[in-house]
Amino acid sequence: MAANMRASGRVRKQPQLYTSSPFTSSSKRKRGAEEDVDGEGDREMPDDDASEESEEDTAEDEPDEEELRAQRKKARKPKSTAPKKPAQKKPRVNGASLPFRNASATTRKRAPKKTKAVDVADAQAAGGLFAEVFASGDTLQDVAGTWLKRYDAHQSSALAEIVNFVLKCADSNGEVSDHDIEDPDGVTNKLDDLREEYQASKPTDYPLIAKGKAATSFRHGIAGFFHALIQAMAVKGVLYTDPVLMENVQIWISTMSSAPNRSFRHTATVASLAIVTALCQVARENAESIANFQRQAETERKKASANTARVKQIEQNAREKSEALEIIEPLLKDWFDVVFIHRYRDVDPVIRRDCIIALGDWIVTMPDVFFDGQHLRYLGWLLSDCAPATRGEVLKQLHRLYKEQDMLGGLKTFTEKFRARMVEIATTDAETNVRVSGIELLDLLRENGLLEPDDIDAAGRLIFDTDPKVRKAVAAFFAENINDLHNSKIDDLGGLENLEEALPETGEGNYEAPRIEWLGFKSLAELLQSYDMDEDLPSQVERSRADGSLTLHLGDGNSRFSLAADALYDKVDDIKAWQMLAGYLLFDHSSGCSNGMADDPLSQLKHESTLSEKEETVLLEVLNASVKRTLVETAEKITAPKSKLTKKAKEQLEDEQEEAARHLVELIPKLLNKFGDVPCTVAAVLRMEALLSSPALKDLQQDSATYAALLDDVRKQFMSHSTDEVLAPASDAILHAKSYGELGEAAEEKVTALWEDVINNLAELLNPATIGVRGATSFEELTALSNNLLRIVRLSTVSDCIAPLEDGSVASSDGASGNDYQGAIDYIIALVQRASPSTGPAPDSDEAALEDEVAARAAEAAFFYCRWKLMTIITVVTTGSNTGVSIEELEALATRRDLYVTNLENALQARKAGEAISVHLTGCLLDLYAAAAILKDVPARPGVSDDYTVLAMNLTPELQKTILQVFIAAEKNFAKLSGKKLEGAPANDADVDQDGMDEDPMSDPESGDEDDDEPTQALASQQRRDTKIRDTILAEQTLCALTGKIIHALAADVMDNAAVRKRLERNKARLGHNFKEVLAYLDIGEVQKKKTKAKGKTKKDAVNGAKGKAKPNPKSNAIIADDEIEDEIEDADAEDEEAQRARG
């Protein structure tokens, strides 16, 4: 008994077919496997080739059956009334079927036949019922009626037409004869012969799966004909008086629906499902007729002078319909058991999907038969189907059922059993479209009160999903949650009428007066905050709402709250009222809290609307999204190329847009004044300033005084905050202001003032005697220095930093060391030395981290200085004066550049390769050399010296080795955290692989820490798991970013290409798809470099020939020993290959 139990608990029972089928098996199918076996293990459906081999073996073992089959065919031929082309069969020897390719030489091998959905010409050529359905032009009802007349004249011949019609629809040219119809015991063998004949043509397609509208019309033709046929049989009465007709149709079509050949099986299944659908329609009509007759009879009886004869006639009609219904219902059960039970779990997902569509039709059409737990469970089981299309179709059918109010009562048990799976699909399904359908179904369940609070929360959290389609789909669901919470708050305050009477009237433009909409904003903030689970995660890391995993998100500055608000914009009207939301945020709620809550409705409203600090942050992000969406949509309406707006309407929109921009300029300073103390709220407000420079508002006239005041506020925030969370949007606001037309000059003045502030602060914080000494500065001064360097870096990204950093007003010198600091840039370059350990007492961990941060930011600031200098040189030699760049200026830049490189190199040699500071300094070094390499390809104007090319250098072998050490350390760190195994390093790479890795367990994959080898699921808590995953993600980001910089350097031809590339690609297939995609840019770089060399070869030869000798480098006499580094790394690679061969 246990062997016959399904996983669901029900007994697996083999249905009894009208005829035995050779295609049954007891092996269990795993969906997604290569074998074509039945879904529940009741039936095996192998591939065609394997099936043929099985049949050949059977024929070999039972030659008598083959002889009997041949005798039957010989006996049928003289009785055939219509000439028929004999079916081509495989030649057999001693009862064994020979393979088609070994047929006699006279038999030509057919080319693979590709079929298409039928057209009229093909249908006419086919003849028979197929031509009548698809080419005659008659209605399907007329075709069915004509066929019934032929059935009355000759039953076997007409039934043969039905079978041949299905065969032709399956793209088979084989046919059955009248005598085949008269021999029901030979159905299986006959279909077996036809299938072999069909397979001999090596088909690659069949009409039902062809693409395009023709395939859809073809399917409709098959289903429509059988529907019309059943209807005609019911009208004529043959359906009830001649059970042999349906029995024979069922024998042939149901047996064909179990064939291993997919074209036969699929076509027969479509026909079978259409027959059942038609039977359901007939049964429904009979049931409705019975109810109507019963009502008519009851009405007639209640009359004062009842017509007894009429009552009897009505009752007789009702009995006839009841008898007809009693005949149809067993047919429905038989067809369901014989076809659907097996095909709903077919290996072909298209067939499974067709079955689900049909089952949905049957439940809606004939609920008395199919609307019960025994049939609904198939929908529940296929919610776990492996094919997304099938799961999606199940959800569609369930949506259809849950919309029927009369069915909700019968769906409660089903909902209790499968609700968890429906929620799982909506929240975690791998296919976006399926998730969207699942969310729409959950919305329907919520409307009908069939979801638990936990399910509502699980669906509500999808508003933060990374997929915009999911956010858009769940917006309506989330909006209803907001409405429910909003309505509950109103009810708690005495109802809507009570509040409306208590609230004062507000004039136009007075957005800061209390109003009922505040409760809606409060509800929105509460829900968004309650569903946000990632408060402590870094900004670039997000949690997947599908499985709870953490992923790296490279966003465009939009927070998860602003993205959620954008999705809710069309569903929540309150979000569109951004001026009202701004007034709510600017309202001083503290007064109401301090005085306590009074009994009057107005005071209660103020108290209930009080926002917490986190809720204020959430609503600021919502405000940002609302303003952006409103302005963008207005601009799109105005500039739409095919806009149907009248001139007056367009002018009105332009006025609204201009008014909104002015209101926004006035609003931002107020928001900064109120929320300027908290970095997260300041960042949200500063991001709104960027909207003023969007294309939609850039051409609008702004009041210069108002805008200058706004820039003053931005400057104040830039200098008062020290986190990148604020400095990044503040820098963007400054950049946008510089590009804002005529107000750009005012922005330049503010930028100049900012440069003066940061340079003066830098000079005040530094002592020339201890600039480069690690541990010589107090913690407070280090913090201020680090923050000031970050401001310099941020300003350098949006403004030319050459003049401020070279300003001699802060020059000084150190008499003891003899170092002269001619400007702030010299201080910054010297600060890079703080990355190197000092000889004095080591600082504690916090101070050490802060020293590294100072060195890293100084290195980045110095790189931006060099980059601005390179851009200036390029501008001068290509568009400037004829004198070009003076040699003195080049020497000064080369001196600073060499000192900068020396400090970087010393720091890298003094620190372990696996430390974060090493990765950062290596990135700056690679960026510097790659940026300078562009000078090689910059053509100077005629008469201008090309002395500037001396600044372009290649990395020395020592620096390349140091860079590879850092890369290997990052590679090992990511492999260790992610549990990936690296390819064994060759012996000659031992010094490279080991440098900087000893005593660093995060860099050593062979560390003795066994805890890291345990599965993530075995970690003690979710917090520890998140930490592990987050560290892995950030390690992968570090590795990919560093690899990208190395590839950039290779493309710039400043590193040894062959050797470095070989090392980069060693673990290409072992470190995940992201790393592999980064390495794919190696090939792009090679193509671009070859093109560049091909273009510049002739010009370079001409220059060398004219000058006769190369210019010396006045400051950097490094000679790249290409041969030495290539030999060194090639030897290591050779030993690596030998080690691999030794391992076999």
Side-chain angles (χ1 to χ4, degrees):
M1 181 69 177
N4 293 326
M5 291 292 294
R6 285 176 46 84
S8 61
R10 70 181 177 89
V11 178
R12 182 191 297 115
K13 182 178 179 182
Q14 181 76 14
Q16 295 187 5
L17 305 177
Y18 284 100
T19 59
S20 60
S21 173
F23 312 128
T24 58
S25 172
S26 60
S27 60
K28 190 171 182 180
R29 177 176 72 86
K30 287 186 178 180
R31 288 199 179 130
E34 295 180 358
E35 295 82 12
D36 288 341
V37 294
D38 186 82
E40 290 183 352
D42 299 323
R43 181 178 301 263
E44 178 179 313
M45 282 173 266
D47 291 337
D48 299 327
D49 295 339
S51 178
E52 287 180 8
E53 293 175 4
S54 175
E55 292 163 10
E56 292 168 8
D57 295 340
T58 303
E60 230 175 343
D61 296 336
E62 300 178 2
D64 294 339
E65 176 64 25
E66 178 65 28
E67 293 175 3
L68 290 174
R69 195 183 304 169
Q71 291 174 5
R72 284 198 297 268
K73 291 179 181 177
K74 185 176 180 180
R76 293 172 194 161
K77 285 183 180 178
K79 300 179 183 179
S80 178
T81 58
K84 179 179 78 168
K85 181 179 179 180
Q88 181 178 357
K89 299 197 62 177
K90 296 180 180 180
R92 297 177 182 265
V93 179
N94 295 330
S97 174
L98 293 176
F100 186 77
R101 60 180 179 274
N102 293 333
S104 60
T106 57
T107 304
R108 290 189 305 170
K109 182 177 179 180
R110 295 185 182 181
K113 180 176 64 175
K114 282 193 174 183
T115 61
K116 300 183 297 183
V118 70
D119 58 23
V120 175
D122 294 337
Q124 290 176 343
L129 190 57
F130 189 83
E132 292 181 26
V133 171
F134 293 107
S136 65
D138 297 336
T139 64
L140 295 177
Q141 290 75 13
D142 293 341
V143 173
T146 305
W147 179 87
L148 282 176
K149 293 179 181 178
R150 294 200 295 271
Y151 177 78
D152 293 337
H154 196 295
Q155 295 182 355
S156 298
S157 177
L159 283 171
E161 290 183 27
I162 293 290
V163 178
N164 291 334
F165 171 72
V166 178
L167 288 170
K168 184 60 182 176
C169 289
D171 201 36
S172 171
N173 292 322
E175 294 182 349
V176 298
S177 65
D178 303 353
H179 302 290
D180 294 327
I181 299 296
E182 294 167 0
D183 181 18
D185 294 334
V187 171
T188 301
N189 293 331
K190 179 61 179 178
L191 289 176
D192 185 20
D193 294 340
L194 292 173
R195 189 194 63 79
E196 290 182 0
E197 178 185 348
Y198 176 71
Q199 284 301 119
S201 65
K202 296 185 178 181
T204 59
D205 202 351
Y206 57 95
L208 273 179
I209 62 173
K211 296 181 180 180
K213 295 181 180 179
T216 304
S217 63
F218 184 80
R219 176 188 292 270
H220 291 165
I222 299 175
F225 168 72
F226 280 105
H227 190 276
L229 179 62
I230 298 300
Q231 290 283 356
M233 291 169 60
V235 171
K236 190 174 182 180
V238 179
L239 182 63
Y240 315 116
T241 60
D242 189 359
V244 177
L245 170 58
M246 283 301 297
E247 180 180 347
N248 278 279
V249 171
Q250 187 178 30
I251 289 174
W252 283 93
I253 296 182
S254 64
T255 304
M256 193 185 302
S257 71
S258 299
N261 182 280
R262 293 191 179 186
S263 62
F264 279 34
R265 190 169 73 249
H266 189 186
T267 307
T269 300
V270 170
S272 301
L273 298 177
I275 290 173
V276 178
T277 302
L279 288 174
C280 286
Q281 185 64 38
V282 172
R284 181 186 181 91
E285 292 172 357
N286 287 333
E288 291 175 350
S289 298
I290 293 171
N292 290 334
F293 287 142
Q294 290 174 346
R295 285 194 297 270
Q296 292 175 9
E298 187 66 25
T299 302
E300 188 66 29
R301 288 193 198 97
K302 291 180 179 179
K303 290 182 179 179
S305 56
N307 189 337
T308 307
R310 175 172 169 75
V311 170
K312 289 183 179 180
Q313 181 60 43
I314 294 174
E315 290 177 344
Q316 177 62 28
N317 293 339
R319 281 193 296 271
E320 291 177 357
K321 293 296 182 181
S322 297
E323 292 172 358
L325 188 60
E326 291 174 358
I327 293 173
I328 294 176
E329 287 183 350
L331 285 176
L332 291 174
K333 185 179 185 305
D334 289 343
W335 279 95
F336 187 88
D337 293 341
V338 174
V339 178
F340 182 89
I341 288 294
H342 300 286
R343 299 284 65 78
Y344 91 94
R345 55 194 177 183
D346 195 278
V347 293
D348 189 350
V350 177
I351 296 179
R352 299 199 300 271
R353 182 172 175 269
D354 289 342
C355 289
I356 290 302
I357 296 174
L359 180 58
D361 292 338
W362 303 341
I363 293 174
V364 173
T365 306
M366 200 60 189
D368 293 342
V369 176
F370 292 101
F371 187 56
D372 55 36
Q374 294 297 317
H375 295 89
L376 287 173
R377 61 182 179 175
Y378 297 107
L379 294 173
W381 290 339
L382 286 183
L383 283 171
S384 301
D385 193 274
C386 61
T390 306
R391 296 196 302 274
E393 190 58 49
V394 174
L395 294 171
K396 182 179 178 181
Q397 297 303 322
L398 288 176
H399 193 278
R400 180 181 177 189
L401 298 181
Y402 279 105
K403 287 182 70 175
E404 298 289 339
Q405 294 296 321
D406 297 338
M407 291 186 173
L408 291 178
L411 286 169
K412 287 185 177 179
T413 303
F414 173 85
T415 305
E416 289 297 324
K417 185 175 182 180
F418 294 103
R419 183 181 60 239
R421 176 56 187 156
M422 288 186 273
V423 173
E424 184 183 19
I425 286 179
T427 55
T428 66
D429 198 275
E431 294 293 326
T432 299
N433 293 335
V434 177
R435 291 184 68 192
V436 170
S437 298
I439 292 169
E440 294 172 351
L441 179 60
L442 290 188
D443 195 16
L444 200 56
L445 292 177
R446 185 200 54 76
E447 289 180 9
N448 296 307
L450 297 175
L451 283 184
E452 296 294 330
D454 291 343
D455 301 329
I456 294 175
D457 292 341
R461 292 188 186 96
L462 295 177
I463 198 65
F464 294 118
D465 197 90
T466 56
D467 193 325
K469 291 183 179 179
V470 174
R471 295 197 301 270
K472 183 178 180 180
V474 81
F477 186 98
F478 194 89
E480 289 302 321
N481 292 348
I482 297 174
N483 291 336
D484 292 342
L485 183 58
H486 184 202
N487 293 333
S488 68
K489 289 181 179 295
I490 292 177
D491 294 338
D492 293 341
L493 295 178
L496 182 61
E497 294 182 0
N498 186 32
L499 286 174
E500 288 178 344
E501 292 176 358
L503 290 175
E505 294 185 2
T506 57
E508 184 179 356
N510 183 14
Y511 298 109
E512 297 184 23
R515 58 188 71 212
I516 296 177
E517 287 81 357
W518 284 12
L519 295 176
F521 294 133
K522 173 70 173 177
S523 302
L524 172 63
E526 286 182 357
L527 281 178
L528 288 175
Q529 184 196 350
S530 64
Y531 287 156
D532 179 40
M533 302 182 300
D534 301 329
E535 299 176 3
D536 299 328
L537 290 180
S539 59
Q540 72 271 34
V541 177
E542 289 188 358
R543 186 184 304 278
S544 171
R545 307 296 159 181
D547 55 7
S549 62
L550 301 179
T551 55
L552 186 67
H553 174 66
L554 301 178
D556 54 358
N558 293 320
S559 70
R560 50 184 174 271
F561 296 113
S562 60
L563 292 175
D566 186 71
L568 292 168
Y569 185 84
D570 294 324
K571 301 297 182 181
V572 181
D573 292 335
D574 289 344
I575 295 180
K576 298 179 181 179
W578 65 271
Q579 294 176 333
M580 190 185 302
L581 175 56
Y584 175 49
L585 286 167
L586 290 173
F587 184 81
D588 185 9
H589 298 279
S590 59
S591 58
C593 295
S594 60
N595 297 330
M597 183 176 66
D599 294 334
D600 62 287
L602 180 59
S603 299
Q604 292 178 346
L605 173 64
K606 292 180 180 179
H607 184 272
E608 184 64 30
S609 302
T610 302
L611 294 170
S612 66
E613 184 177 319
K614 291 183 178 179
E615 288 171 351
E616 288 176 341
T617 303
V618 170
L619 288 184
L620 281 172
E621 297 289 357
V622 174
L623 176 62
N624 194 344
S626 176
V627 173
K628 182 177 180 180
R629 183 75 176 270
T630 302
L631 295 178
V632 168
E633 287 189 353
T634 304
E636 288 177 351
K637 291 178 183 178
I638 296 174
T639 59
K642 297 182 179 180
S643 176
K644 296 181 180 179
L645 293 174
T646 62
K647 183 179 180 180
K648 183 177 181 181
K650 187 174 181 180
E651 290 177 353
Q652 183 178 357
L653 284 176
E654 290 175 348
D655 292 341
E656 292 177 1
Q657 186 185 44
E658 187 172 353
E659 180 63 27
R662 290 197 180 97
H663 187 79
L664 184 59
V665 172
E666 297 172 357
L667 175 65
I668 292 176
K670 297 178 182 179
L671 293 173
L672 288 175
N673 184 50
K674 181 177 182 180
F675 301 105
D677 297 332
V678 183
C680 58
T681 55
V682 173
V685 176
L686 288 175
R687 281 196 291 271
M688 275 189 276
E689 198 279 338
L691 298 176
L692 295 173
S693 297
S694 63
L697 304 179
K698 195 170 183 179
D699 296 331
L700 295 179
Q701 296 293 327
Q702 291 287 354
D703 181 70
S704 57
T706 305
Y707 199 79
L710 173 59
L711 289 179
D712 283 333
D713 289 327
V714 172
R715 176 190 172 190
K716 178 181 176 182
Q717 298 300 329
F718 189 90
M719 295 302 300
S720 60
H721 288 276
S722 57
T723 64
D724 210 31
E725 183 180 11
V726 176
L727 296 182
S731 301
D732 293 339
I734 293 171
L735 178 63
H736 295 145
K738 290 176 59 179
S739 62
Y740 201 91
E742 61 184 18
L743 299 178
E745 295 182 2
E748 287 290 353
E749 293 178 0
K750 305 302 180 183
V751 172
T752 302
L754 276 175
W755 272 118
E756 292 177 359
D757 292 339
V758 296
I759 296 301
N760 291 332
N761 288 347
L762 179 66
E764 292 175 1
L765 290 169
L766 293 176
N767 182 359
T770 58
I771 288 180
V773 180
R774 186 181 181 92
T777 310
S778 65
F779 187 83
E780 292 75 13
E781 291 177 340
L782 269 179
T783 303
L785 179 59
S786 176
N787 296 337
N788 202 68
L789 286 171
L790 180 59
R791 295 188 185 98
I792 292 176
V793 170
R794 278 299 169 186
L795 274 179
S796 298
T797 61
V798 298
S799 173
D800 189 346
C801 62
I802 296 176
L805 295 183
E806 291 182 350
D807 185 9
S809 61
V810 294
S812 64
S813 61
D814 179 17
S817 62
N819 294 329
D820 289 330
Y821 303 103
Q822 300 176 2
I825 183 58
D826 297 323
Y827 295 136
I828 293 173
I829 292 174
L831 284 172
V832 178
Q833 301 177 59
R834 286 181 177 255
S836 303
S838 60
T839 57
D844 59 32
S845 58
D846 292 338
E847 289 184 357
L850 202 51
E851 291 279 10
D852 288 346
E853 187 176 77
V854 167
R857 290 176 175 177
E860 191 172 0
F863 165 69
F864 275 111
Y865 167 80
C866 294
R867 193 169 183 179
W868 278 107
K869 291 291 289 185
L870 293 173
M871 291 176 60
T872 303
I873 291 172
I874 294 173
T875 303
V876 169
V877 300
T878 55
T879 61
S881 62
N882 294 331
T883 58
V885 184
S886 65
I887 191 64
E888 292 79 11
E889 185 177 355
L890 291 177
E891 287 181 353
L893 177 58
T895 300
R896 283 176 172 148
R897 189 272 317 275
D898 290 342
L899 182 59
Y900 176 43
V901 172
T902 301
N903 291 344
L904 290 174
E905 186 175 7
N906 292 338
L908 288 173
Q909 292 175 355
R911 301 297 292 267
K912 294 178 181 179
E915 294 182 87
I917 184 62
S918 298
V919 177
H920 192 95
L921 297 182
T922 301
C924 292
L925 187 66
L926 289 166
D927 287 341
L928 175 65
Y929 276 80
I934 195 174
L935 295 177
K936 301 176 184 177
D937 301 321
V938 174
R941 290 183 297 105
V944 176
S945 172
D946 61 351
D947 292 338
Y948 58 88
T949 57
V950 300
L951 296 173
M953 300 189 308
N954 291 344
L955 286 160
T956 64
E958 292 76 14
L959 279 177
Q960 293 191 47
K961 183 178 179 181
T962 302
I963 291 170
L964 285 180
Q965 288 174 354
V966 177
F967 167 78
I968 292 169
E971 189 180 55
K972 288 186 176 182
N973 184 30
F974 172 59
K976 175 184 175 63
L977 291 172
S978 60
K980 300 181 184 297
K981 187 177 180 180
L982 298 176
E983 183 179 339
N988 204 36
D989 268 358
D991 59 334
V992 174
D993 287 0
Q994 293 300 324
D995 283 350
M997 302 300 296
D998 28 338
E999 301 181 5
D1000 186 7
M1002 292 301 292
S1003 304
D1004 183 9
E1006 304 298 332
S1007 171
D1009 186 3
E1010 296 179 358
D1011 292 339
D1012 291 332
D1013 295 334
E1014 297 177 2
T1016 304
Q1017 294 81 358
L1019 295 177
S1021 64
Q1022 180 65 39
Q1023 183 179 4
R1024 187 176 176 185
R1025 286 196 296 270
D1026 285 352
T1027 301
K1028 177 85 172 179
I1029 299 172
R1030 182 185 62 202
D1031 291 345
T1032 304
I1033 292 172
L1034 296 179
E1036 184 180 22
Q1037 181 192 22
T1038 299
L1039 174 62
C1040 291
L1042 179 60
T1043 306
K1045 290 179 183 293
I1046 296 175
I1047 294 174
H1048 190 196
L1050 290 174
D1053 202 19
V1054 297
M1055 295 185 74
D1056 181 71
N1057 197 332
V1060 175
R1061 173 170 181 156
K1062 188 172 184 180
R1063 182 59 189 87
L1064 292 181
E1065 292 183 327
R1066 176 182 295 174
N1067 296 292
K1068 180 178 181 179
R1070 297 172 179 264
L1071 294 177
H1073 294 291
N1074 290 333
F1075 182 69
K1076 188 176 181 180
E1077 287 300 317
V1078 173
L1079 290 180
Y1081 282 88
L1082 282 169
D1083 298 327
I1084 298 176
E1086 283 295 309
V1087 173
Q1088 293 176 343
K1089 190 164 66 175
K1090 287 179 180 178
K1091 290 181 178 180
T1092 303
K1093 286 185 176 180
K1095 290 180 179 179
K1097 183 177 179 181
T1098 305
K1099 182 177 179 180
K1100 184 177 180 181
D1101 292 343
V1103 171
N1104 291 339
K1107 295 192 175 182
K1109 60 178 181 179
K1111 283 186 304 295
N1113 186 339
K1115 287 294 178 183
S1116 298
N1117 297 319
I1119 300 175
I1120 304 302
D1122 292 334
D1123 295 337
E1124 294 179 8
I1125 187 172
E1126 186 174 348
D1127 293 341
E1128 180 180 349
I1129 302 183
E1130 281 185 355
D1131 291 342
D1133 293 333
E1135 292 185 14
D1136 185 22
E1137 294 175 359
E1138 292 175 3
Q1140 291 180 8
R1141 286 195 295 269
R1143 291 194 299 268

